[in-house]
Coordinates of all heavy atoms in Angstrom, one line a residue:
M259 N 16.5 7.8 -11.8 CA 15.1 8.0 -12.2 C 14.9 7.2 -13.5 O 15.7 7.3 -14.4 CB 14.9 9.5 -12.5 CG 13.6 9.9 -12.9 SD 13.5 11.7 -13.0 CE 11.8 11.9 -13.4
T260 N 13.8 6.4 -13.5 CA 13.5 5.6 -14.7 C 12.4 6.2 -15.4 O 11.5 6.9 -14.9 CB 13.2 4.2 -14.2 OG1 12.1 4.2 -13.4 CG2 14.4 3.5 -13.6
S261 N 12.3 5.9 -16.7 CA 11.2 6.4 -17.5 C 10.1 5.5 -17.4 O 10.2 4.3 -17.0 CB 11.7 6.5 -19.0 OG 11.9 5.2 -19.5
P262 N 8.8 5.9 -17.7 CA 7.7 5.1 -17.6 C 7.7 3.8 -18.5 O 7.1 2.8 -18.2 CB 6.5 6.0 -18.0 CG 7.0 7.3 -18.1 CD 8.5 7.3 -18.2
S263 N 8.5 3.8 -19.6 CA 8.5 2.7 -20.5 C 9.4 1.6 -20.1 O 9.4 0.5 -20.5 CB 8.8 3.2 -21.9 OG 10.1 3.7 -21.9
T264 N 10.4 1.9 -19.1 CA 11.3 0.9 -18.7 C 11.1 0.7 -17.2 O 11.3 1.6 -16.4 CB 12.8 1.3 -19.0 OG1 13.0 2.5 -18.4 CG2 13.0 1.3 -20.5
P265 N 10.7 -0.5 -16.8 CA 10.5 -0.8 -15.3 C 11.9 -0.8 -14.6 O 12.9 -1.1 -15.1 CB 9.9 -2.1 -15.3 CG 10.3 -2.8 -16.6 CD 10.5 -1.7 -17.6
S266 N 11.8 -0.5 -13.3 CA 13.0 -0.4 -12.5 C 13.5 -1.8 -12.2 O 14.6 -2.0 -11.7 CB 12.7 0.3 -11.2 OG 11.7 -0.4 -10.5
T267 N 12.8 -2.9 -12.5 CA 13.2 -4.3 -12.3 C 14.2 -4.7 -13.4 O 14.8 -5.8 -13.2 CB 12.0 -5.2 -12.3 OG1 11.3 -5.1 -13.5 CG2 11.1 -4.9 -11.1
A268 N 14.3 -4.0 -14.5 CA 15.3 -4.4 -15.5 C 16.7 -4.2 -15.0 O 17.0 -3.2 -14.4 CB 15.1 -3.6 -16.8
P269 N 17.6 -5.2 -15.2 CA 18.9 -5.1 -14.7 C 19.7 -4.0 -15.5 O 19.4 -3.7 -16.6 CB 19.5 -6.5 -15.0 CG 18.7 -7.0 -16.1 CD 17.4 -6.4 -16.0
T270 N 20.7 -3.5 -14.8 CA 21.6 -2.6 -15.5 C 22.5 -3.4 -16.4 O 23.1 -4.4 -16.0 CB 22.5 -1.8 -14.5 OG1 21.6 -1.1 -13.6 CG2 23.4 -0.8 -15.1
L271 N 22.6 -3.0 -17.7 CA 23.5 -3.7 -18.6 C 24.8 -3.1 -18.8 O 24.9 -1.9 -18.7 CB 22.8 -3.8 -20.0 CG 21.4 -4.5 -20.0 CD1 20.8 -4.3 -21.4 CD2 21.6 -6.0 -19.7
R272 N 25.8 -4.0 -18.9 CA 27.2 -3.5 -19.1 C 27.8 -4.3 -20.3 O 27.4 -5.5 -20.5 CB 28.0 -3.7 -17.9 CG 27.6 -2.9 -16.7 CD 28.5 -3.2 -15.5 NE 28.7 -4.7 -15.4 CZ 28.5 -5.4 -14.3 NH1 28.1 -4.8 -13.2 NH2 28.7 -6.7 -14.2
P273 N 28.7 -3.7 -21.1 CA 29.3 -4.4 -22.1 C 30.0 -5.7 -21.6 O 30.6 -5.7 -20.5 CB 30.4 -3.4 -22.7 CG 29.8 -2.1 -22.4 CD 29.1 -2.3 -21.0
G274 N 29.8 -6.8 -22.3 CA 30.3 -8.1 -21.8 C 29.3 -9.0 -21.1 O 29.5 -10.2 -21.0
D275 N 28.2 -8.4 -20.7 CA 27.2 -9.2 -20.0 C 26.6 -10.2 -21.1 O 26.4 -9.8 -22.2 CB 26.0 -8.3 -19.5 CG 26.4 -7.6 -18.2 OD1 27.4 -7.9 -17.7 OD2 25.6 -6.7 -17.9
Q276 N 26.3 -11.4 -20.7 CA 25.7 -12.4 -21.5 C 24.2 -12.6 -21.1 O 24.0 -12.8 -19.9 CB 26.4 -13.7 -21.5 CG 27.8 -13.6 -22.2 CD 28.5 -15.0 -22.3 OE1 27.8 -16.0 -22.3 NE2 29.8 -15.0 -22.4
L277 N 23.3 -12.6 -22.0 CA 21.9 -12.8 -21.8 C 21.4 -14.0 -22.5 O 21.9 -14.3 -23.6 CB 21.1 -11.6 -22.1 CG 21.5 -10.3 -21.5 CD1 20.7 -9.1 -22.1 CD2 21.2 -10.3 -20.0
A278 N 20.5 -14.7 -22.0 CA 19.9 -15.9 -22.6 C 18.4 -15.8 -22.7 O 17.7 -15.3 -21.8 CB 20.3 -17.2 -21.9
S279 N 17.8 -16.3 -23.7 CA 16.3 -16.4 -23.9 C 15.8 -17.5 -23.0 O 16.5 -18.5 -22.8 CB 16.0 -16.6 -25.3 OG 14.6 -16.9 -25.5
T280 N 14.6 -17.3 -22.5 CA 13.9 -18.4 -21.7 C 13.0 -19.2 -22.6 O 12.4 -20.2 -22.2 CB 13.1 -17.8 -20.6 OG1 12.2 -16.9 -21.1 CG2 14.0 -17.1 -19.6
V281 N 12.8 -18.8 -23.9 CA 11.9 -19.5 -24.8 C 12.6 -20.2 -26.0 O 11.9 -21.0 -26.6 CB 10.8 -18.6 -25.3 CG1 9.9 -18.1 -24.2 CG2 11.4 -17.4 -26.1
C282 N 13.8 -19.9 -26.2 CA 14.5 -20.5 -27.3 C 16.0 -20.6 -27.0 O 16.4 -20.2 -25.9 CB 14.3 -19.8 -28.7 SG 15.0 -18.2 -28.8
S283 N 16.8 -21.0 -28.0 CA 18.3 -21.1 -27.7 C 19.1 -19.8 -27.9 O 20.3 -19.9 -27.9 CB 18.8 -22.2 -28.6 OG 18.6 -21.9 -30.0
T284 N 18.4 -18.7 -28.1 CA 19.2 -17.4 -28.4 C 20.0 -17.0 -27.2 O 19.5 -17.0 -26.0 CB 18.2 -16.3 -28.8 OG1 17.5 -16.7 -29.9 CG2 18.9 -15.0 -29.0
R285 N 21.2 -16.7 -27.4 CA 22.1 -16.1 -26.4 C 22.8 -14.9 -27.1 O 23.2 -15.0 -28.2 CB 23.1 -17.1 -25.9 CG 22.5 -18.1 -25.0 CD 23.5 -19.1 -24.5 NE 22.9 -20.1 -23.6 CZ 23.0 -20.1 -22.3 NH1 23.8 -19.2 -21.7 NH2 22.4 -21.0 -21.6
V286 N 23.0 -13.8 -26.3 CA 23.6 -12.6 -26.8 C 24.6 -12.1 -25.8 O 24.6 -12.4 -24.6 CB 22.6 -11.5 -27.1 CG1 21.7 -11.9 -28.2 CG2 21.8 -11.1 -25.9
V287 N 25.6 -11.3 -26.3 CA 26.5 -10.6 -25.5 C 26.3 -9.1 -25.7 O 26.1 -8.6 -26.8 CB 28.0 -10.9 -25.9 CG1 29.0 -10.0 -25.1 CG2 28.3 -12.3 -25.6
V288 N 26.2 -8.3 -24.6 CA 26.1 -6.9 -24.7 C 27.3 -6.2 -25.2 O 28.4 -6.4 -24.6 CB 25.7 -6.3 -23.4 CG1 25.5 -4.7 -23.5 CG2 24.4 -6.9 -22.9
V289 N 27.3 -5.5 -26.4 CA 28.4 -4.8 -26.9 C 28.4 -3.4 -26.5 O 29.5 -2.9 -26.1 CB 28.4 -4.9 -28.5 CG1 29.5 -4.1 -29.1 CG2 28.4 -6.4 -29.0
R290 N 27.3 -2.8 -26.5 CA 27.1 -1.4 -26.1 C 25.8 -1.2 -25.4 O 24.8 -1.7 -25.8 CB 27.2 -0.5 -27.3 CG 27.2 1.0 -27.0 CD 27.4 1.9 -28.2 NE 27.2 1.1 -29.4 CZ 26.5 1.6 -30.5 NH1 26.0 2.8 -30.5 NH2 26.4 0.9 -31.6
A291 N 25.8 -0.5 -24.3 CA 24.6 -0.3 -23.5 C 24.5 1.1 -23.0 O 25.6 1.7 -22.6 CB 24.5 -1.3 -22.3
P292 N 23.4 1.7 -22.9 CA 23.2 3.1 -22.4 C 23.4 3.1 -20.9 O 22.9 2.3 -20.2 CB 21.8 3.5 -22.8 CG 21.1 2.2 -22.9 CD 22.1 1.2 -23.4
A293 N 24.3 4.0 -20.4 CA 24.6 4.1 -19.0 C 23.4 4.6 -18.2 O 23.2 4.2 -17.0 CB 25.8 4.9 -18.8
E294 N 22.7 5.5 -18.7 CA 21.6 6.2 -18.0 C 20.3 5.5 -18.0 O 19.3 5.9 -17.4 CB 21.4 7.6 -18.5 CG 20.9 7.7 -19.9 CD 21.8 7.5 -21.0 OE1 23.0 7.3 -20.8 OE2 21.4 7.4 -22.2
E295 N 20.1 4.4 -18.8 CA 18.9 3.7 -18.9 C 19.0 2.2 -18.5 O 20.1 1.7 -18.4 CB 18.4 3.8 -20.4 CG 18.1 5.2 -20.8 CD 17.8 5.2 -22.3 OE1 17.3 4.1 -22.9 OE2 18.0 6.2 -22.9
R296 N 17.9 1.6 -18.2 CA 17.8 0.2 -17.9 C 16.8 -0.5 -18.9 O 15.7 -0.7 -18.6 CB 17.4 0.0 -16.5 CG 18.3 0.6 -15.5 CD 17.8 0.5 -14.1 NE 18.4 -0.7 -13.5 CZ 18.1 -1.1 -12.3 NH1 17.3 -0.4 -11.6 NH2 18.6 -2.2 -11.8
P297 N 17.3 -0.7 -20.2 CA 16.4 -1.2 -21.2 C 15.9 -2.6 -20.9 O 16.6 -3.4 -20.3 CB 17.2 -1.2 -22.5 CG 18.6 -1.3 -22.0 CD 18.6 -0.6 -20.7
E298 N 14.7 -2.9 -21.3 CA 14.0 -4.2 -21.1 C 14.3 -5.0 -22.3 O 13.7 -4.7 -23.4 CB 12.5 -4.0 -20.8 CG 11.8 -5.2 -20.4 CD 10.4 -4.9 -20.1 OE1 9.6 -4.9 -21.0 OE2 10.1 -4.7 -18.9
I299 N 15.1 -6.0 -22.3 CA 15.5 -6.8 -23.4 C 14.7 -8.1 -23.4 O 14.7 -8.8 -22.4 CB 17.0 -7.2 -23.4 CG1 17.9 -6.0 -23.2 CG2 17.4 -7.9 -24.7 CD1 17.7 -4.9 -24.3
A300 N 14.0 -8.4 -24.5 CA 13.2 -9.6 -24.6 C 13.6 -10.4 -25.9 O 14.1 -9.8 -26.8 CB 11.8 -9.3 -24.6
C301 N 13.3 -11.7 -25.9 CA 13.5 -12.5 -27.0 C 12.2 -13.5 -27.1 O 11.9 -14.1 -26.1 CB 14.7 -13.4 -26.9 SG 15.0 -14.4 -28.4
G302 N 11.6 -13.4 -28.2 CA 10.4 -14.2 -28.4 C 9.2 -13.8 -27.4 O 8.3 -14.6 -27.1
G303 N 9.3 -12.5 -27.0 CA 8.2 -12.0 -26.2 C 8.5 -12.1 -24.7 O 7.8 -11.5 -23.9
D304 N 9.5 -12.9 -24.2 CA 9.8 -13.1 -22.8 C 11.1 -12.4 -22.5 O 12.0 -12.4 -23.3 CB 9.9 -14.5 -22.4 CG 8.5 -15.2 -22.4 OD1 7.5 -14.5 -22.4 OD2 8.5 -16.5 -22.3
L305 N 11.2 -11.8 -21.3 CA 12.5 -11.2 -20.9 C 13.6 -12.1 -20.9 O 13.5 -13.3 -20.5 CB 12.3 -10.6 -19.5 CG 11.4 -9.4 -19.3 CD1 11.3 -9.0 -17.9 CD2 11.9 -8.2 -20.2
M306 N 14.8 -11.6 -21.3 CA 16.0 -12.4 -21.3 C 16.6 -12.4 -19.9 O 16.4 -11.4 -19.2 CB 17.0 -11.9 -22.3 CG 16.5 -12.0 -23.8 SD 17.8 -11.6 -25.0 CE 18.6 -13.2 -25.1
V307 N 17.3 -13.4 -19.6 CA 17.9 -13.5 -18.2 C 19.4 -13.6 -18.3 O 19.9 -14.0 -19.4 CB 17.3 -14.8 -17.5 CG1 15.8 -14.6 -17.2 CG2 17.6 -16.0 -18.2
P308 N 20.2 -13.4 -17.2 CA 21.6 -13.6 -17.3 C 21.9 -15.0 -17.7 O 21.3 -16.0 -17.3 CB 22.1 -13.3 -15.9 CG 21.0 -12.4 -15.3 CD 19.7 -12.8 -16.0
A309 N 22.9 -15.2 -18.6 CA 23.2 -16.5 -19.2 C 23.6 -17.6 -18.2 O 23.3 -18.7 -18.3 CB 24.2 -16.4 -20.3
V310 N 24.2 -17.1 -17.1 CA 24.6 -18.1 -16.0 C 23.5 -18.8 -15.3 O 23.6 -19.9 -14.8 CB 25.6 -17.4 -15.0 CG1 26.9 -17.0 -15.7 CG2 24.9 -16.3 -14.3
T311 N 22.3 -18.1 -15.3 CA 21.1 -18.7 -14.6 C 20.2 -19.4 -15.6 O 19.2 -20.0 -15.1 CB 20.4 -17.6 -13.9 OG1 19.9 -16.6 -14.8 CG2 21.2 -16.9 -12.8
A312 N 20.5 -19.3 -16.9 CA 19.5 -19.9 -17.9 C 19.8 -21.4 -18.1 O 20.9 -21.8 -18.1 CB 19.6 -19.1 -19.2
Q313 N 18.7 -22.1 -18.3 CA 18.7 -23.5 -18.8 C 19.0 -23.5 -20.3 O 18.5 -22.7 -21.0 CB 17.4 -24.2 -18.5 CG 17.0 -24.2 -17.1 CD 17.6 -25.4 -16.4 OE1 18.1 -26.3 -17.0 NE2 17.7 -25.4 -15.1
A314 N 19.9 -24.4 -20.7 CA 20.2 -24.5 -22.1 C 18.9 -25.0 -22.9 O 18.4 -26.1 -22.5 CB 21.3 -25.5 -22.3
A315 N 18.5 -24.3 -23.9 CA 17.4 -24.7 -24.7 C 17.8 -25.4 -26.0 O 18.9 -25.1 -26.5 CB 16.5 -23.5 -25.1
P316 N 17.0 -26.3 -26.5 CA 17.4 -27.0 -27.7 C 17.5 -26.0 -28.9 O 16.7 -25.1 -29.0 CB 16.3 -28.0 -28.0 CG 15.2 -27.6 -27.2 CD 15.7 -26.8 -26.0
S317 N 18.5 -26.2 -29.7 CA 18.6 -25.2 -30.9 C 18.1 -25.9 -32.1 O 18.1 -27.1 -32.3 CB 20.1 -24.8 -31.1 OG 20.8 -26.0 -31.4
S318 N 17.6 -25.0 -33.0 CA 17.1 -25.4 -34.3 C 17.5 -24.3 -35.3 O 16.8 -23.3 -35.4 CB 15.6 -25.6 -34.3 OG 15.1 -25.9 -35.6
A319 N 18.5 -24.6 -36.1 CA 19.0 -23.5 -37.0 C 18.0 -23.3 -38.2 O 18.0 -22.3 -38.8 CB 20.3 -23.9 -37.6
A320 N 17.1 -24.3 -38.4 CA 16.2 -24.2 -39.5 C 15.2 -23.0 -39.4 O 14.8 -22.4 -40.4 CB 15.4 -25.5 -39.7
D321 N 14.8 -22.8 -38.1 CA 13.8 -21.7 -37.9 C 14.4 -20.5 -37.2 O 13.6 -19.8 -36.4 CB 12.5 -22.3 -37.2 CG 12.8 -22.9 -35.9 OD1 14.0 -23.1 -35.6 OD2 11.9 -23.2 -35.2
A322 N 15.6 -20.3 -37.3 CA 16.3 -19.2 -36.5 C 15.9 -17.8 -37.0 O 15.9 -17.5 -38.2 CB 17.8 -19.3 -36.6
A323 N 15.4 -17.0 -36.1 CA 15.1 -15.6 -36.4 C 16.3 -14.7 -35.9 O 16.5 -13.6 -36.5 CB 13.8 -15.2 -35.7
T324 N 17.0 -15.1 -34.9 CA 18.2 -14.4 -34.4 C 19.4 -15.2 -34.9 O 19.5 -16.4 -34.6 CB 18.1 -14.3 -32.9 OG1 16.8 -13.8 -32.5 CG2 19.2 -13.4 -32.4
L325 N 20.3 -14.6 -35.6 CA 21.4 -15.3 -36.3 C 22.7 -15.1 -35.6 O 23.1 -14.0 -35.2 CB 21.5 -14.8 -37.7 CG 20.2 -15.0 -38.6 CD1 20.4 -14.3 -39.9 CD2 19.8 -16.4 -38.7
I326 N 23.4 -16.2 -35.4 CA 24.7 -16.2 -34.8 C 25.7 -15.3 -35.5 O 25.7 -15.3 -36.8 CB 25.3 -17.6 -34.6 CG1 26.5 -17.6 -33.7 CG2 25.6 -18.2 -35.9 CD1 26.9 -19.0 -33.2
G327 N 26.5 -14.5 -34.8 CA 27.5 -13.7 -35.4 C 27.0 -12.3 -35.9 O 27.8 -11.5 -36.3
K328 N 25.7 -12.1 -35.8 CA 25.1 -10.8 -36.2 C 24.9 -9.9 -35.0 O 24.7 -10.3 -33.9 CB 23.8 -11.0 -36.9 CG 23.8 -11.9 -38.1 CD 24.6 -11.3 -39.2 CE 24.7 -12.1 -40.5 NZ 25.4 -11.5 -41.5
R329 N 25.0 -8.6 -35.3 CA 24.8 -7.6 -34.3 C 23.4 -7.0 -34.5 O 23.0 -6.7 -35.6 CB 25.9 -6.5 -34.4 CG 27.3 -7.0 -34.0 CD 28.3 -6.0 -34.2 NE 29.6 -6.5 -33.9 CZ 30.4 -6.1 -32.9 NH1 30.0 -5.1 -32.1 NH2 31.6 -6.7 -32.7
Y330 N 22.8 -6.7 -33.4 CA 21.4 -6.2 -33.4 C 21.4 -4.9 -32.6 O 22.1 -4.8 -31.5 CB 20.4 -7.2 -32.8 CG 20.3 -8.4 -33.6 CD1 21.1 -9.5 -33.5 CD2 19.2 -8.5 -34.6 CE1 21.0 -10.6 -34.3 CE2 19.1 -9.6 -35.4 CZ 20.0 -10.6 -35.2 OH 19.8 -11.7 -36.1
V331 N 20.7 -3.9 -33.1 CA 20.7 -2.6 -32.4 C 19.2 -2.2 -32.2 O 18.3 -2.6 -32.9 CB 21.4 -1.5 -33.2 CG1 22.9 -1.7 -33.3 CG2 20.8 -1.3 -34.6
D332 N 19.0 -1.3 -31.1 CA 17.7 -0.8 -30.8 C 17.4 0.4 -31.8 O 18.3 0.8 -32.5 CB 17.6 -0.4 -29.4 CG 18.4 0.8 -29.0 OD1 19.4 1.1 -29.7 OD2 18.1 1.4 -28.0
A333 N 16.2 0.9 -31.7 CA 15.8 2.0 -32.6 C 16.7 3.2 -32.4 O 16.9 3.9 -33.4 CB 14.3 2.3 -32.4
G334 N 17.1 3.5 -31.2 CA 17.9 4.7 -31.0 C 19.4 4.5 -31.2 O 20.2 5.5 -31.2
G335 N 19.8 3.3 -31.4 CA 21.2 3.0 -31.7 C 22.1 3.1 -30.4 O 23.3 3.1 -30.5
K336 N 21.4 3.1 -29.2 CA 22.2 3.1 -28.0 C 22.6 1.8 -27.4 O 23.5 1.6 -26.7 CB 21.3 3.8 -26.9 CG 21.1 5.3 -27.2 CD 20.3 5.9 -26.1 CE 20.0 7.4 -26.3 NZ 19.2 7.9 -25.2
L337 N 21.8 0.7 -27.8 CA 22.0 -0.6 -27.3 C 22.4 -1.5 -28.5 O 21.8 -1.5 -29.5 CB 20.8 -1.2 -26.7 CG 20.8 -2.6 -26.2 CD1 21.8 -2.8 -25.0 CD2 19.4 -3.1 -25.9
E338 N 23.5 -2.3 -28.3 CA 24.0 -3.2 -29.4 C 24.3 -4.5 -28.7 O 24.9 -4.6 -27.7 CB 25.2 -2.6 -30.0 CG 25.8 -3.4 -31.2 CD 27.0 -2.8 -31.8 OE1 27.1 -1.6 -31.8 OE2 27.8 -3.6 -32.4
L339 N 23.7 -5.6 -29.4 CA 23.9 -7.0 -28.9 C 24.5 -7.8 -30.0 O 24.2 -7.6 -31.2 CB 22.5 -7.6 -28.5 CG 21.7 -6.8 -27.5 CD1 20.3 -7.5 -27.3 CD2 22.4 -6.8 -26.2
L340 N 25.4 -8.7 -29.6 CA 26.0 -9.7 -30.6 C 25.4 -11.0 -30.2 O 25.5 -11.5 -29.1 CB 27.5 -9.7 -30.4 CG 28.3 -10.8 -31.2 CD1 28.1 -10.6 -32.7 CD2 29.7 -10.8 -30.7
C341 N 24.8 -11.7 -31.2 CA 24.3 -13.0 -31.1 C 25.4 -14.1 -31.1 O 26.1 -14.1 -32.0 CB 23.3 -13.3 -32.2 SG 22.5 -14.9 -32.1
I342 N 25.4 -14.9 -30.0 CA 26.4 -15.9 -29.9 C 25.8 -17.3 -30.0 O 26.5 -18.3 -30.0 CB 27.3 -15.8 -28.6 CG1 26.4 -15.8 -27.4 CG2 28.1 -14.5 -28.6 CD1 27.2 -15.9 -26.1
S343 N 24.5 -17.4 -30.1 CA 23.8 -18.6 -30.3 C 22.4 -18.3 -30.9 O 21.6 -17.6 -30.4 CB 23.6 -19.4 -28.9 OG 22.9 -20.6 -29.2
S344 N 22.2 -18.9 -32.1 CA 21.0 -18.6 -32.9 C 19.8 -19.2 -32.1 O 19.9 -20.1 -31.4 CB 21.0 -19.3 -34.2 OG 22.1 -18.7 -35.0
G345 N 18.6 -18.6 -32.4 CA 17.4 -19.1 -31.9 C 16.2 -18.6 -32.7 O 16.3 -17.8 -33.6
A346 N 15.0 -19.1 -32.3 CA 13.8 -18.8 -33.1 C 13.1 -17.5 -32.7 O 12.3 -17.0 -33.4 CB 12.8 -20.0 -32.9
G347 N 13.5 -17.0 -31.5 CA 12.8 -15.8 -31.0 C 13.4 -14.5 -31.6 O 14.6 -14.5 -32.1
E348 N 12.6 -13.5 -31.7 CA 13.0 -12.2 -32.2 C 13.4 -11.3 -31.0 O 12.7 -11.2 -30.0 CB 11.9 -11.5 -33.0 CG 12.2 -10.2 -33.6 CD 11.1 -9.5 -34.3 OE1 9.9 -9.6 -33.9 OE2 11.3 -8.9 -35.3
L349 N 14.5 -10.6 -31.2 CA 15.0 -9.7 -30.1 C 14.2 -8.4 -30.1 O 13.9 -7.9 -31.2 CB 16.5 -9.4 -30.3 CG 17.5 -10.5 -30.1 CD1 18.9 -10.1 -30.5 CD2 17.5 -11.0 -28.7
S350 N 13.9 -7.9 -28.9 CA 13.2 -6.6 -28.8 C 13.8 -5.8 -27.6 O 14.3 -6.4 -26.6 CB 11.7 -6.8 -28.7 OG 11.4 -7.4 -27.5
C351 N 13.7 -4.5 -27.7 CA 14.2 -3.6 -26.6 C 13.0 -2.7 -26.3 O 12.5 -2.0 -27.2 CB 15.4 -2.8 -27.1 SG 16.0 -1.6 -25.8
A352 N 12.5 -2.8 -25.0 CA 11.4 -2.0 -24.6 C 10.2 -2.2 -25.5 O 9.5 -1.2 -25.8 CB 11.8 -0.5 -24.5
G353 N 10.0 -3.4 -26.0 CA 8.8 -3.7 -26.8 C 8.9 -3.4 -28.2 O 8.1 -3.8 -29.0
T354 N 10.0 -2.8 -28.7 CA 10.3 -2.5 -30.1 C 11.3 -3.5 -30.7 O 12.4 -3.7 -30.1 CB 10.8 -1.1 -30.2 OG1 9.9 -0.2 -29.6 CG2 11.0 -0.7 -31.7
P355 N 11.0 -4.2 -31.8 CA 11.9 -5.1 -32.4 C 13.3 -4.5 -32.7 O 13.3 -3.3 -33.1 CB 11.2 -5.6 -33.7 CG 9.8 -5.3 -33.5 CD 9.7 -4.1 -32.6
M356 N 14.3 -5.2 -32.4 CA 15.7 -4.8 -32.7 C 16.0 -5.1 -34.2 O 15.4 -6.1 -34.7 CB 16.7 -5.4 -31.8 CG 16.5 -5.0 -30.3 SD 17.7 -5.6 -29.2 CE 19.1 -4.6 -29.5
T357 N 16.9 -4.4 -34.8 CA 17.2 -4.6 -36.2 C 18.7 -5.0 -36.4 O 19.5 -4.7 -35.5 CB 17.0 -3.3 -37.0 OG1 17.8 -2.3 -36.5 CG2 15.5 -2.9 -37.0
L358 N 18.9 -5.7 -37.5 CA 20.3 -6.1 -37.8 C 21.1 -4.8 -38.0 O 20.7 -3.9 -38.7 CB 20.3 -6.9 -39.1 CG 20.4 -8.4 -38.9 CD1 20.1 -9.1 -40.2 CD2 21.7 -8.9 -38.3
K359 N 22.3 -4.8 -37.5 CA 23.2 -3.6 -37.7 C 23.8 -3.8 -39.1 O 24.4 -4.8 -39.4 CB 24.3 -3.6 -36.6 CG 25.2 -2.4 -36.7 CD 26.2 -2.3 -35.6 CE 27.0 -1.1 -35.7 NZ 28.0 -0.9 -34.7
A360 N 23.8 -2.7 -39.8 CA 24.4 -2.7 -41.2 C 25.9 -2.6 -41.1 O 26.4 -2.0 -40.2 CB 23.8 -1.6 -42.0
A361 N 26.6 -3.3 -42.0 CA 28.0 -3.3 -42.0 C 28.5 -1.9 -42.5 O 27.9 -1.3 -43.4 CB 28.5 -4.3 -43.0
K362 N 29.6 -1.4 -41.9 CA 30.1 -0.1 -42.4 C 30.9 -0.3 -43.6 O 31.7 -1.3 -43.8 CB 31.1 0.5 -41.3 CG 30.3 0.9 -40.0 CD 31.3 1.4 -39.0 CE 30.6 1.8 -37.8 NZ 31.5 2.3 -36.8
P363 N 30.7 0.6 -44.6 CA 31.5 0.4 -45.9 C 33.0 0.7 -45.6 O 33.3 1.6 -44.8 CB 30.9 1.5 -46.8 CG 30.2 2.4 -45.9 CD 29.8 1.7 -44.7
L364 N 33.8 -0.1 -46.2 CA 35.3 0.1 -46.1 C 35.7 1.2 -47.0 O 35.2 1.5 -48.0 CB 36.0 -1.2 -46.5 CG 35.7 -2.4 -45.6 CD1 36.4 -3.6 -46.2 CD2 36.3 -2.1 -44.2
P365 N 36.8 2.0 -46.5 CA 37.3 3.0 -47.4 C 37.9 2.5 -48.7 O 38.4 1.4 -48.7 CB 38.3 3.7 -46.5 CG 38.7 2.7 -45.5 CD 37.5 1.8 -45.3
A366 N 37.9 3.3 -49.7 CA 38.5 2.9 -51.0 C 40.0 2.8 -50.8 O 40.6 3.5 -50.0 CB 38.2 3.9 -52.0
S367 N 40.6 1.9 -51.5 CA 42.1 1.7 -51.4 C 42.8 2.4 -52.5 O 44.0 2.1 -52.7 CB 42.4 0.2 -51.4 OG 42.0 -0.4 -52.6
D368 N 42.2 3.3 -53.2 CA 42.8 4.0 -54.3 C 43.9 4.9 -53.8 O 43.8 5.6 -52.9 CB 41.8 4.8 -55.1 CG 40.9 3.9 -55.8 OD1 41.2 2.6 -55.8 OD2 39.8 4.3 -56.2

């Protein structure tokens, strides 16, 4: 059963899946995905597609909104993506912009 905010056409995401933007050079790897939902992942306003079917887009690091090596999470913290190629588009999940995941503080070595 799908919720009204996520269409049934969205693919089921699994950790390790690679997605590519259709409007810029952004590429991501799914780190964590909710098993019970099919979130709609977009970059630059257009849905992301499996990386194997995507055409390589020219990259421009000068105007990158999505940064390589950074992790992005949805508002609920259920979906986590790792950026493997920077791009100008902003990542969003179900229409809500994704945010940079904050680094966990290391324990004191005292």
Side-chain angles (χ1 to χ4, degrees):
M259 180 175 186
T260 60
S261 67
S263 65
T264 55
S266 59
T267 58
T270 301
L271 296 176
R272 295 180 313 233
D275 286 349
Q276 291 189 24
L277 303 173
S279 172
T280 57
V281 297
C282 68
S283 59
T284 301
R285 287 180 180 254
V286 297
V287 172
V288 177
V289 176
R290 184 174 14 138
E294 69 282 354
E295 298 175 23
R296 299 174 94 181
E298 189 175 85
I299 309 301
C301 182
D304 286 350
L305 290 178
M306 295 189 84
V307 296
V310 293
T311 63
Q313 296 278 341
S317 65
S318 174
D321 57 349
T324 307
L325 304 173
I326 191 167
K328 300 294 183 181
R329 292 176 184 245
Y330 293 85
V331 293
D332 67 339
K336 294 181 181 180
L337 176 68
E338 184 176 332
L339 305 175
L340 171 64
C341 179
I342 58 172
S343 179
S344 296
E348 180 182 38
L349 293 171
S350 64
C351 178
T354 304
M356 296 182 77
T357 58
L358 263 169
K359 183 176 180 180
K362 292 181 182 178
L364 297 173
S367 61
D368 295 346

